[in-house]
């Protein structure tokens, strides 16, 4: 087993373009996941049984099914239901709604952490629900939800490697291409592992910085 | 939509696939537990190099996508002269992955056990290994059971990835069924329901254990 | 301060009118047909043992808890429900907010928002509900904090205030929206004894300015001196009501006598 650093450089552009795809797909999917999770957590708090049940079902399905299956249902099953999406779109939507199930639980715990009396005081002053969420609940939840959210974005980024299976030209896919063209195994995989580790350390650092910023504020 | 047709004509295939998924997951979790326990004691060891090495292992296996890990194990084993069947490669990769996550769970559990207990046992002349097996691990296991169930669910979901290296578990079975029936939507949804059912059973079992533990602790 | 006012109705329409109010939590019947009228500038104190339902009554009067039977009118508008042919259906959030907008509420545990300064707490509703600009809102906010004697604490967060200061901030917050009636839900029960006085003093000043008030309280001294009417509740019912003198000096029922005896023996 030897390590040929030259092929890594030769394939540098391919790997970097894969890295870029991974980064922006994950960024968009994370935004979608946060939005879907917040929506589910808010709907879950409404006093309607049917809505609650629907949210519970969404959360349980997302948390109980492999992401690969969800991607296959969207990508291969979608067309027969009249929904034809590009692989990359499937990736963003699939990862986004999948992550949404986990973010919903994070937000739910966050909402539960705020004493109901604070909400009652706001209601008595006539402050509308959206303002209560945006100005009273979320600012106080931040210190609690930032660590698990960071963790969730990291998990989502790792899961994004699966998009290679549905032909999205992201980091893992381009690495596989490199393996197929060079017949080298060690170099590409060591390189890709390091690149993922780099992205993930970056996310962890950013999350830590956010956490410090908000814990100082409160 | 023709769910019934797909199920009735490929009932056995789904069953065999699901069994394979269950077996691979169970074996990986069990082997991962042994490795994870060693690793956990490494993480809290007084021996600095051992602690460092354990931390590096944990960081590497928690910080890279499981798909990349799987591909590395699958392609690298032959490079070092080990020709193992895909199933073995799959179990090795899943085991090494879950060991890192389980080690972190165990470490958290071990930290909650008062150090006085170990000191008392040492004073009585009980050997370290025996203290671990008879005093620490039994107490810690009860504590970490819910987290362990979550890890099992996550391995069960991640086992779908081993379809990529041609292990005929539930995911790959579904792909084979699709290639015959040309009904991807129905087939993958059936697979999703099977995964969901297995995970629900696990989650229920976890909740039951947790309740029992809560009752016992009173 | 108003002199001894007769119990029951006076001329003019009551600011708050409660008719035949019932509330159940599952199988427990917490309120068993409560009637209450609060006239303009009147101070009504509700006393009674813990678990008597007095806090629940106030929460139902604010529709923080849904009542099951009966009616609550705030300035002649039904609160919480819409009535059609004697049938009550839950009102829209917007209408509930509108009827409630004349109520200022003060809670036992202050319920301040910990991430905002005292001034931020007081100005929040002015900014979000009244849509005032920062300058104008802060001007009113400082005026309200001045009223409760907390001008110098305006830029402190609740965690840096004493319990008494927090409760006074909460009173200023409720006053900022210029309510027509103030509801106090055991406002001094969570306070250390030495901090009770400053809060009661603010409340007494409010009463003397003619604010209409409903006060659920354990402070018998406050009820005796400030209330126009005292309502004694036990086991979900109004057992006795009357002037402070009637209630504290000439109790008619055994239950009230027993309650007062217990309270006096504890007070010593």
């Amino acid at each position: 087993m030897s390590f040929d650093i030259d092929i890594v450089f030769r394939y540098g552009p391919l790997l970097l373009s894969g890295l870029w795809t991974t980064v922006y797909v994950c960024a968009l999917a994370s935004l979608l996941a946060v939005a879907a999770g917040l929506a589910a957590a808010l709907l879950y708090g409404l006093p309607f049984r049917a809505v609650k049940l629907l949210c519970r079902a969404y959360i349980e399905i997302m948390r109980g099914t492999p992401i690969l299956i969800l991607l296959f249902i969207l990508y291969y099953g979608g067309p027969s239901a009249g929904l034809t999406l590009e692989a990359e779109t499937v990736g963003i939507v699939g990862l986004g709604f999948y992550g949404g199930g986990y973010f919903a639980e994070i937000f739910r715990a966050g909402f539960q952490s705020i004493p109901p009396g604070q909400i009652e005081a706001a209601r008595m002053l006539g402050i509308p629900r959206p303002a209560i969420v945006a100005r009273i609940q979320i600012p106080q939840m931040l210190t609690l939800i930032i660590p698990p959210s960071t963790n969730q974005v990291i998990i989502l980024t790792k899961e994004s490697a699966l998009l290679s299976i549905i032909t999205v030209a992201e980091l893992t896919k381009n690495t596989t291409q490199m393996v197929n063209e060079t017949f080298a195994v060690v170099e590409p995989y060591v390189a890709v592992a390091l690149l993922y580790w780099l992205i993930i350390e970056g996310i962890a650092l950013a999350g830590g910085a956010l956490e410090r910023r908000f814990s100082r504020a409160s | 939509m023709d769910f019934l047709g797909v199920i009735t004509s490929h009932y056995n295939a789904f069953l065999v696939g699901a069994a394979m998924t269950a077996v691979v997951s169970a074996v990986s979790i069990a082997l991962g537990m042994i490795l994870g326990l060693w690793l956990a004691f490494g993480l809290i060891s007084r021996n600095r190099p051992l602690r460092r090495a354990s931390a590096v292992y944990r960081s590497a296996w928690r910080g890279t996508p499981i798909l990349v890990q799987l591909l590395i194990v699958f392609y690298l084993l032959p490079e070092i002269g080990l020709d193992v069947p895909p199933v073995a490669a799959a179990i090795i990769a899943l085991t090494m992955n879950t060991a890192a996550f389980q080690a972190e769970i165990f470490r958290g559990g071990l930290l909650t056990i008062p150090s006085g207990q170990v000191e008392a046992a040492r004073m009585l002349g009980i050997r370290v290994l025996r203290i671990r097996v008879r005093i620490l691990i039994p107490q810690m296991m009860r504590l970490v059971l819910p987290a362990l169930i979550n890890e099992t669910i996550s391995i069960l979901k991640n086992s779908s990835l081993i379809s990529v290296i041609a292990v005929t578990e539930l995911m790959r079975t579904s792909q084979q069924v699709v290639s015959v029936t040309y009904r991807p939507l129905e087939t993958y949804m059936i697979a999703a329901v099977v995964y969901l059912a297995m995970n629900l059973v696990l989650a229920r079992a976890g909740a039951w254990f947790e309740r029992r533990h809560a009752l016992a602790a009173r | 301060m108003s002199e001894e006012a007769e119990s029951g109705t006076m001329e003019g329409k009551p600011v708050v009118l409660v008719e035949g109010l019932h509330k159940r939590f599952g199988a427990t019947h917490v309120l068993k047909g409560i009637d209450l009228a609060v006239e303009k500038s009147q101070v009504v104190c509700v006393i009674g043992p813990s678990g008597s339902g007095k806090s629940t009554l106030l929460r139902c009067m604010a529709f923080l808890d849904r009542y099951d039977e009966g009616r609550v009118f705030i300035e002649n508008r039904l609160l919480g429900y819409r009535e059609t042919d004697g049938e009550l259906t839950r009102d829209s959030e917007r209408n509930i907010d509108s009827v409630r907008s004349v109520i200022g509420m003060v809670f036992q545990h202050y319920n301040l928002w910990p991430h905002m300064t005292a001034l931020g707490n007081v100005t929040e509703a002015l900014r979000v509900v009244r849509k005032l600009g920062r300058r104008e809102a802060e001007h009113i906010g400082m005026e309200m904090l001045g009223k409760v004697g907390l001008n110098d604490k305006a830029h402190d967060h609740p965690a840096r205030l004493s319990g008494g200061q927090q409760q006074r901030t909460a009173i200023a917050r409720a006053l900022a929206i210029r309510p027509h009636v103030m509801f106090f839900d055991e406002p001094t029960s969570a306070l250390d004894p030495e901090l009770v006085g400053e809060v009661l003093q603010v409340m007494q000043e409010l009463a003397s300015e003619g604010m209409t008030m409903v006060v659920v309280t354990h402070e018998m001294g406050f009820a005796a001196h400030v209330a126009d009417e005292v309502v004694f509740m036990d086991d979900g019912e109004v057992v006795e009501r009357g002037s402070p003198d009637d209630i504290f000096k000439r109790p008619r029922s055994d239950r009230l006598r027993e309650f007062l005896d217990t309270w006096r023996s504890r007070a010593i």
Side-chain angles (χ1 to χ4, degrees):
Chain A
M1 224 161 73
S2 61
F3 198 92
D4 180 3
I5 195 83
D6 279 349
I7 26 175
V8 176
F9 284 121
R10 214 160 358 106
Y11 277 84
L14 184 70
L15 290 182
L16 284 182
S17 103
L19 180 72
W20 168 239
T21 306
T22 290
V23 167
Y24 82 74
V25 163
C26 288
L28 290 177
S30 296
L31 284 179
L32 180 58
V34 168
L38 183 59
L42 284 172
L43 288 172
Y44 194 87
L46 293 181
F48 304 112
R49 257 184 93 85
V51 178
K52 242 190 179 61
L53 221 65
L54 228 63
C55 289
R56 192 76 251 162
Y58 164 68
I59 294 169
E60 291 301 332
I61 289 172
M62 291 304 139
R63 290 162 54 98
T65 322
I67 172 71
L68 191 56
I69 282 273
L70 294 173
L71 292 174
F72 272 35
I73 289 176
L74 264 180
Y75 189 62
Y76 297 111
S80 54
L83 186 75
T84 310
L85 298 172
E86 277 189 45
E88 207 171 279
T89 316
V90 166
I92 293 167
V93 171
L95 276 178
F97 279 104
Y98 178 75
Y102 290 86
F103 270 107
E105 293 288 79
I106 293 173
F107 280 117
R108 222 157 59 81
F111 282 123
Q112 273 171 0
S113 74
I114 293 165
Q118 286 187 31
I119 314 305
E120 289 180 347
R123 308 269 334 264
M124 284 309 295
L125 291 165
I127 297 174
R129 296 266 185 196
I132 294 179
V133 171
R135 296 175 61 99
I136 294 171
Q137 294 178 292
I138 289 187
Q140 291 188 66
M141 285 157 51
L142 285 178
T143 39
L144 186 80
I145 64 174
I146 287 174
S149 298
T150 307
N151 199 27
Q152 200 50 53
V153 171
I154 288 175
I155 291 174
L156 200 137
T157 305
K158 289 193 286 173
E159 305 271 26
S160 78
L162 306 198
L163 301 189
S164 61
I165 303 174
I166 57 163
T167 74
V168 179
E170 45 67 79
L171 191 48
T172 304
K173 172 84 184 162
N174 287 5
T175 308
T176 320
Q177 186 188 333
M178 181 177 162
V179 170
N180 293 339
E181 287 172 13
T182 60
F183 302 107
V185 179
V186 184
E187 295 85 352
Y189 284 126
V190 169
V192 75
L194 282 175
L195 285 174
Y196 273 112
W197 179 81
L198 209 70
I199 305 175
I200 281 157
E201 281 300 306
I203 298 169
L205 277 176
L210 271 180
E211 200 182 323
R212 271 194 304 282
R213 206 191 127 183
F214 284 106
S215 64
R216 211 174 330 125
S218 65
Chain B
M1 293 265 209
D2 184 17
F3 284 102
L4 263 184
V6 175
I7 292 180
T8 46
S9 57
H10 297 88
Y11 180 77
N12 272 329
F14 280 117
L15 217 60
V16 172
M20 189 66 168
T21 287
V23 167
V24 168
S25 302
V27 171
S28 303
I29 283 290
L31 293 177
M33 194 175 293
I34 298 167
L35 188 56
L37 279 168
W38 279 113
L39 210 54
F41 285 110
L43 284 169
I44 58 169
S45 162
R46 291 221 189 99
N47 182 336
R48 206 185 155 92
L50 177 61
R51 207 166 61 227
R52 271 290 157 79
S54 309
V56 167
Y57 179 95
R58 174 187 60 177
S59 166
W61 286 85
R62 278 159 44 105
T64 47
I66 191 162
L67 178 61
V68 172
Q69 296 166 5
L70 189 67
L71 294 174
I72 290 180
V73 169
F74 185 64
Y75 288 114
L76 233 51
L77 283 181
E79 290 273 309
I80 56 171
L82 274 175
D83 237 341
V84 295
V87 147
I91 288 175
I92 291 171
L94 288 176
T95 297
M96 293 182 82
N97 175 278
T98 188
F101 284 90
Q102 290 191 44
E104 188 57 21
I105 294 171
F106 294 145
R107 189 185 67 90
L110 287 171
L111 287 181
T112 64
I113 298 172
S115 56
Q117 289 190 19
V118 179
E119 285 161 10
R122 291 296 289 278
M123 289 311 288
L124 292 170
I126 304 173
R127 279 216 301 273
V128 174
L129 192 66
R130 206 171 158 76
I131 295 176
R132 286 181 183 173
V133 172
R134 310 232 352 148
I135 299 175
L136 293 179
I137 293 175
Q139 293 186 63
M140 183 260 310
M141 276 298 176
R142 261 199 300 269
L143 223 60
V144 301
L145 204 67
L148 220 47
I149 298 270
N150 278 340
E151 174 59 18
T152 308
I153 290 176
S154 140
I155 281 296
L156 196 95
K157 285 163 62 178
N158 280 329
S159 73
S160 61
L161 300 193
I162 65 178
S163 59
V164 174
I165 56 167
V167 178
T168 351
E169 41 63 80
L170 184 52
M171 187 76 213
R172 180 139 181 111
T173 305
S174 310
Q175 287 169 276
Q176 291 168 344
V177 170
V178 170
S179 67
V180 181
T181 60
Y182 299 107
R183 291 194 172 277
L185 190 61
E186 290 91 332
T187 309
Y188 291 135
M189 281 173 99
I190 291 166
V193 169
V194 178
Y195 277 112
L196 210 52
M198 290 198 275
N199 284 329
L200 274 179
V201 170
L202 278 172
R204 277 288 141 81
W208 182 77
F209 277 121
E210 213 167 337
R211 256 201 319 280
R212 225 178 59 147
H213 182 218
L215 283 178
R218 262 206 305 214
Chain C
M1 209 186 308
S2 44
E3 292 296 285
E4 289 200 5
E6 317 85 305
S7 61
T9 51
M10 298 190 290
E11 60 277 356
K13 284 178 176 163
V15 181
V16 181
L17 182 64
V18 177
E19 293 177 346
L21 207 66
H22 284 264
K23 170 72 186 172
R24 292 175 190 83
F25 285 114
T28 40
H29 203 162
V30 193
L31 298 177
K32 304 170 179 169
I34 306 287
D35 297 302
L36 187 70
V38 185
E39 310 291 339
K40 191 164 170 18
S41 293
Q42 205 185 13
V43 177
V44 174
C45 284
V46 184
I47 61 170
S50 7
S52 58
K54 53 192 193 304
S55 272
T56 306
L57 171 63
L58 197 71
R59 290 176 59 82
C60 285
M61 285 163 64
F63 209 66
L64 285 173
D65 284 335
R66 198 176 46 81
Y67 51 89
D68 300 315
E69 271 174 60
R71 309 277 189 280
V72 172
F73 294 95
I74 307 292
E75 297 191 330
N76 295 317
R77 294 168 72 190
L78 182 58
L79 173 61
Y81 294 99
R82 199 191 296 270
E83 185 166 8
T84 34
D85 307 327
E87 283 286 307
L88 295 184
T89 47
R90 202 193 155 99
D91 209 344
S92 68
E93 201 98 322
R94 180 186 292 250
N95 283 343
I96 294 174
D97 277 349
S98 155
V99 178
R100 268 209 292 238
S101 65
V102 298
I103 305 173
M105 180 122 182
V106 176
F107 300 84
Q108 180 179 353
H109 296 288
Y110 338 127
N111 295 346
L112 292 177
W113 303 309
H115 60 303
M116 297 179 188
T117 61
L119 186 60
N121 269 275
V122 178
T123 53
E124 180 68 8
L126 296 173
R127 310 261 335 247
V128 176
V129 184
R130 297 280 153 90
K131 312 252 189 256
L132 299 184
R134 172 187 286 268
R135 220 159 220 275
E136 202 180 341
E138 289 188 347
H139 180 74
I140 298 174
M142 288 306 288
E143 190 189 323
M144 293 303 150
L145 284 171
K147 229 173 143 61
V148 300
L150 284 177
N151 264 337
D152 53 328
K153 299 288 180 190
H155 300 289
D156 283 350
H157 281 84
R160 308 201 40 179
L161 303 177
S162 72
Q165 290 167 338
Q166 289 191 49
Q167 192 59 298
R168 279 146 67 198
T169 305
I171 293 174
R173 175 175 70 178
L175 287 175
I177 57 161
R178 309 254 179 229
H180 300 173
V181 55
M182 290 282 285
F183 288 180
F184 292 86
D185 184 7
E186 304 199 21
T188 56
S189 297
L191 294 175
D192 291 335
E194 73 272 19
L195 300 176
V196 168
E198 60 189 74
V199 172
L200 291 182
Q201 196 195 332
V202 167
M203 290 167 63
Q204 193 164 348
E205 277 159 24
L206 269 181
S208 65
E209 286 166 18
M211 174 61 80
T212 312
M213 293 165 54
V214 181
V215 185
V216 170
T217 188
H218 289 291
E219 294 296 329
M220 299 305 152
F222 179 83
H225 287 107
V226 183
D228 299 301
E229 184 180 22
V230 178
V231 174
F232 171 64
M233 280 183 70
D234 190 17
D235 197 23
E237 295 168 323
V238 173
V239 179
E240 234 176 280
R241 66 178 89 206
S243 69
D245 271 3
D246 288 342
I247 295 292
F248 293 112
K249 295 185 183 151
R250 296 180 286 278
R252 283 161 288 162
S253 60
D254 289 343
R255 279 201 271 182
L256 177 53
R257 234 171 274 139
E258 195 182 314
F259 172 72
L260 291 174
D261 284 347
T262 315
W263 173 71
R264 283 194 187 103
S265 67
R266 271 197 213 131
I268 296 165

